């Protein structure tokens, strides 16, 4: 059975060009870059090249830093916890503003800090699933030190107004962190245009490998390391540098930006085709206006069809999608986003996310449309609520 | 995550639908909590002769409802009352731990329907 992968907001296939770029660093160029011998020396130019690709990829300037780490979870924890030890712990500024939409690695880091006297405001999205700059502005107090707002939402694909939020933060002298894992490769991320102090990303979200990510720090600002040990990354993140991963992430970032136009034309066209077909089904809800979403994502709730049941129906025909709603493999809760936007509690258990990539084909979308219609008919035929 | 038997009953649920003029109806769960089951029984001579169900829920909820209908049919009411959640899970070759309570509502719905039926006849 041919399989169809529509869970690209969870992770992506490694682009063959990225795989080719990283391959030598597993086979014959495997030296530790900190070694003084030829094995170590020969890999260093490739690390520099990768850093240049990353700097160019997000519009970072020479005075800014990018710390290579293992993933966005590590980057996000470094920012939130590092901020505590750097600033919050010893001042009266003990307030962080974030949102209910954030990844658990932000939410749980903030909850951890709450145990240490930090006050955290978790902004709820409006009825469109959006967080506005005004909401952020109204949440700021004289004690606010940090705002952490994602650039684009993983479930709905909604793009948050990060530029406007950044202006609010800059005006009030508050640091801004953004988790940009769902933005890179789908949107133009240029930090010359947007005043962000910290930004996190993860290679596997833009067709790089898993286990490698980055943390941008504006103007090389001070931030204590999460991992202590050697002097790698200028002492800001200990641990032997994953050269292969770093080279791969640089290449993946470069390719992601090369393919941005395709993402916003062809991938968007396929997403819209899928969405138009879903809209023909009675009693459904699609969260967020499509022009405000990343071009690859549609999040749909279908009344009478519990989300996990639909996922299993799709999986039987080889289609991979995901649900953040009830009885998902690791979560029994209703979808937080659907609950937050005011969907009734039944509908909040029906959310299914379909996320495309530049490797998604027209035939795959056509088959998905056919299969979803069939599955909805079947599941609704014996649903108590339809 | 799910046994082949769970997937079989999820994909090919037995005894689905309404049962007009049912003698007893059991209803457990709440769509707001993610799972809801409605069970219809036809009872003759204190024996379950026909059974149907409708479910809003995950794969486990659908599979447990389906297999319960096969377990209960032909049983006397006293025998049916002895069917437990563990029996349902065992008949499906097991369920994930986090599905035992949230999605395995079928035995409860059966017991509720039978008790209501018996209460009416006291």
């Amino acid at each position: 059975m041919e399989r169809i992968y529509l869970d690209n907001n969870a992770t992506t296939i490694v682009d063959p060009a990225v795989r080719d770029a990283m391959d030598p660093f597993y086979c014959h160029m495997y030296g530790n870059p900190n070694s003084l011998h030829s094995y170590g020396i020969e890999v260093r130019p490739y690390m520099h090249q990768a850093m240049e690709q990353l700097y160019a990829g997000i519009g970072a300037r020479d005075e800014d830093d990018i710390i290579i780490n293992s993933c966005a979870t590590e980057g996000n924890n470094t920012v939130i916890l590092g901020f505590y030890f750097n600033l919050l712990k010893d001042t009266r500024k003990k307030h962080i503003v974030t949102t209910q939409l954030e990844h658990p690695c932000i939410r749980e880091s903030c909850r951890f800090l709450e145990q240490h006297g930090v006050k955290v405001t978790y902004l709820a999205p409006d009825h469109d699933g959006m967080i506005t700059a005004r909401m952020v502005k109204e949440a700021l107090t004289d004690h606010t030190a940090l705002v952490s707002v994602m650039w684009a939402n993983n479930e709905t694909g909604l793009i948050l107004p990060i530029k406007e939020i950044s202006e609010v933060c800059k005006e009030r002298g508050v640091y801004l962190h953004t988790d940009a894992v769902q933005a890179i490769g789908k949107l133009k991320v240029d930090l010359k245009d947007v005043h962000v102090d910290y930004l996190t990303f993860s290679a596997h979200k833009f067709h790089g490998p898993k286990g490698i990510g980055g943390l941008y720090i504006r103007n090389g600002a001070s931030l204590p390391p999460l991992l202590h040990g050697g002097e790698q990354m200028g002492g800001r993140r200990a641990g032997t540098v994953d050269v292969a991963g770093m080279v791969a992430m640089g290449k993946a970032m470069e390719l992601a930006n090369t393919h941005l136009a395709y993402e916003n034309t062809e991938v968007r066209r396929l997403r819209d085709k899928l969405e138009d077909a879903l809209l023909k089904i009675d009693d459904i809800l699609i969260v967020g206006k499509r022009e405000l979403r990343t071009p690859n994502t549609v999040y749909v709730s279908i009344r009478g069809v519990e989300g996990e049941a639909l996922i299993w129906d799709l999986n039987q025909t080889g289609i991979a999608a995901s649900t953040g709603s009830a009885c998902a493999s690791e979560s029994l809760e209703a979808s937080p986003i659907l609950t937050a936007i005011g969907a009734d509690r039944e509908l909040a258990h029906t959310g299914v996310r379909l996320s495309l990539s530049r490797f998604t084909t027209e035939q795959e979308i056509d088959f998905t449309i056919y299969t979803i219609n069939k599955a909805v008919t079947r599941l609704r035929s014996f649903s108590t609520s339809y | 995550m799910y046994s082949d038997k769970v997937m079989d009953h999820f994909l090919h649920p037995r005894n689905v639908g309404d049962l007009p003029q049912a003698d007893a109806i059991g209803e457990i769960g709440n769509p707001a909590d993610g799972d809801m089951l409605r069970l219809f029984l036809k009872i003759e001579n204190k024996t379950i002769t026909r059974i149907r169900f409708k479910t809003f829920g995950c794969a486990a909820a659908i599979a447990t409802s389906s297999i319960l209908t096969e377990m209960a049919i032909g049983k006397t009411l006293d025998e049916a009352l002895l069917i437990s959640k563990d029996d349902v899970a065992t008949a499906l070759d097991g369920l994930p731990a986090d599905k035992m309570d949230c999605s395995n509502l079928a035995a409860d719905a059966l017991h509720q329907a039978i008790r209501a039926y018996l209460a009416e006849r006291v």
Side-chain angles (χ1 to χ4, degrees):
Chain A
M1 177 174 66
E2 289 277 324
R3 295 192 298 171
I4 296 172
Y5 188 74
L6 294 178
D7 199 14
N8 287 282
N9 284 10
T11 194
T12 54
I13 188 173
V14 176
D15 188 310
V18 171
R19 194 185 57 215
D20 290 346
M22 70 195 292
D23 199 45
F25 300 91
Y26 288 120
C27 300
H28 55 274
M29 297 176 73
Y30 51 81
N32 185 328
N34 285 344
S35 299
L36 295 178
H37 50 60
S38 64
Y39 286 83
I41 293 167
E42 71 182 0
V43 301
R44 288 181 208 153
Y46 296 93
M47 292 172 57
H48 293 312
Q49 184 188 22
M51 290 304 291
E52 283 173 17
Q53 289 168 319
L54 296 174
Y55 269 71
I58 60 171
R61 298 161 303 181
D62 287 346
E63 61 266 36
D64 300 333
D65 267 359
I66 293 178
I67 308 301
I68 305 300
N69 53 28
S70 63
C71 58
T73 291
E74 184 187 325
N76 289 339
N77 270 259
T78 303
V79 172
I80 302 294
L81 302 183
F83 219 80
Y84 174 75
F85 286 104
N86 210 31
L87 188 65
L88 302 175
K89 185 169 169 283
D90 298 318
T91 72
R92 54 189 276 280
K93 284 201 164 194
K94 284 186 165 55
H95 181 221
I96 292 174
V97 174
T98 186
T99 81
Q100 293 178 1
L101 303 180
E102 303 302 310
H103 188 275
C105 67
I106 292 286
R107 288 205 312 268
E108 294 308 315
S109 296
C110 287
R111 283 187 183 134
F112 178 73
L113 290 193
E114 285 181 291
Q115 297 168 26
H116 296 271
V118 175
K119 189 177 177 217
V120 183
T121 300
Y122 302 89
L123 296 172
D126 63 18
H127 286 295
D128 294 320
M130 190 60 87
I131 300 290
T132 65
R134 184 174 180 168
M135 289 180 194
V136 173
K137 188 173 186 176
E138 288 174 356
L140 297 179
T141 72
D142 291 340
H143 302 291
T144 308
L146 178 70
V147 169
S148 179
V149 175
M150 57 178 27
W151 197 307
N153 183 254
N154 52 316
E155 272 191 279
T156 62
L158 277 166
I159 302 160
L160 279 67
I162 207 73
K163 188 175 169 86
E164 292 171 42
I165 291 170
S166 77
E167 285 161 6
V168 166
C169 292
K170 192 174 179 186
E171 188 183 310
R172 292 287 295 268
V174 173
Y175 287 93
L176 174 62
H177 163 246
T178 186
D179 175 348
V181 290
Q182 297 295 341
I184 290 170
K186 298 163 194 165
L187 316 168
K188 181 70 182 162
V189 172
D190 188 348
L191 297 180
K192 291 187 192 71
D193 285 344
V194 183
H195 188 89
V196 165
D197 296 291
Y198 307 98
L199 177 143
T200 41
F201 54 91
S202 197
H204 76 100
K205 302 286 191 183
F206 49 91
H207 301 292
K210 297 169 188 63
I212 190 86
L215 163 59
Y216 161 87
I217 303 176
R218 190 175 69 82
N219 211 15
S222 165
L223 196 67
L226 192 67
L227 302 186
H228 297 266
E231 286 300 307
Q232 293 91 346
M233 289 286 140
R236 308 185 81 170
R237 198 266 186 185
T240 301
V241 178
D242 175 1
V243 180
M246 200 171 160
V247 168
M249 183 160 65
K251 182 73 177 172
M253 178 83 80
E254 186 177 84
L255 287 170
N257 283 321
T258 304
H259 291 289
L260 263 186
Y262 185 85
E263 285 276 342
N264 283 281
T265 53
E266 189 59 14
V267 175
R268 184 182 291 278
R269 184 185 71 77
L270 290 176
R271 188 278 307 268
D272 289 353
K273 180 178 185 178
L274 173 60
E275 189 168 326
D276 288 342
L278 292 171
L279 286 166
K280 288 179 183 161
I281 301 171
D282 291 335
D283 272 346
I284 70 147
L285 169 71
I286 288 175
V287 181
K289 293 174 186 164
R290 64 172 69 166
E291 61 271 21
L292 297 179
R293 283 185 264 130
T294 48
N296 75 320
T297 306
V298 56
Y299 189 68
V300 61
S301 280
I302 303 173
R303 192 171 293 283
V305 178
E306 199 271 341
E308 193 223 72
L310 180 57
I311 292 298
W312 280 108
D313 250 38
L314 297 182
N315 188 54
Q316 281 305 114
T317 61
I319 299 169
S322 76
T323 172
S325 61
C327 291
S329 57
E330 294 180 5
S331 168
L332 303 178
E333 301 299 320
S335 161
I337 180 73
L338 288 170
T339 304
I341 67 168
D344 62 64
R345 289 189 63 202
E346 179 194 333
L347 207 57
H349 286 276
T350 64
V352 168
R353 180 184 70 190
L354 301 148
S355 47
L356 291 65
S357 83
R358 64 178 185 256
F359 294 95
T360 305
T361 67
E362 184 112 32
Q363 290 78 9
E364 290 177 336
I365 293 301
D366 289 341
F367 184 69
T368 300
I369 290 168
Y370 165 79
T371 306
I372 289 178
N373 275 294
K374 200 173 161 191
V376 169
T377 302
R378 182 182 93 83
L379 293 166
R380 277 183 170 174
S381 73
F382 52 83
S383 173
T384 54
S385 54
Y386 206 80
Chain B
M1 160 182 187
Y2 288 133
S3 69
D4 290 345
K5 217 159 177 182
V6 170
M7 290 311 293
D8 177 37
H9 277 269
F10 164 62
L11 292 168
H12 310 287
R14 283 64 146 172
N15 304 309
V16 294
D18 295 310
L19 191 57
Q21 298 175 321
D23 294 309
I25 297 175
E27 192 168 284
I28 288 283
N30 185 331
D33 295 329
D35 287 303
M36 182 176 180
L37 165 63
R38 197 174 294 135
L39 208 56
F40 307 92
L41 307 182
K42 195 76 186 162
I43 298 165
E44 293 169 26
N45 298 324
K46 294 189 177 178
T47 300
I48 298 169
T49 55
R50 295 183 72 194
I51 184 165
R52 293 280 184 274
F53 80 92
K54 295 185 96 173
T55 294
F56 169 80
C58 64
I62 293 165
T64 53
S65 307
S66 170
I67 202 159
L68 177 103
T69 63
E70 290 193 328
M71 294 167 77
I73 200 156
K75 284 200 166 47
T76 66
L77 299 184
D78 287 343
E79 289 169 339
L81 282 170
L82 294 175
I83 298 173
S84 69
K85 284 189 171 187
D86 284 342
D87 294 334
V88 172
T90 302
L92 287 169
D93 296 336
L95 280 174
D98 59 359
K99 298 285 184 177
M100 272 302 288
D101 287 325
C102 83
S103 304
N104 190 357
L105 304 171
D108 290 345
L110 178 67
H111 299 168
Q112 186 200 66
I114 293 170
R115 287 190 185 118
Y117 173 83
L118 293 173
E120 279 178 15
R121 279 152 183 79
V122 170

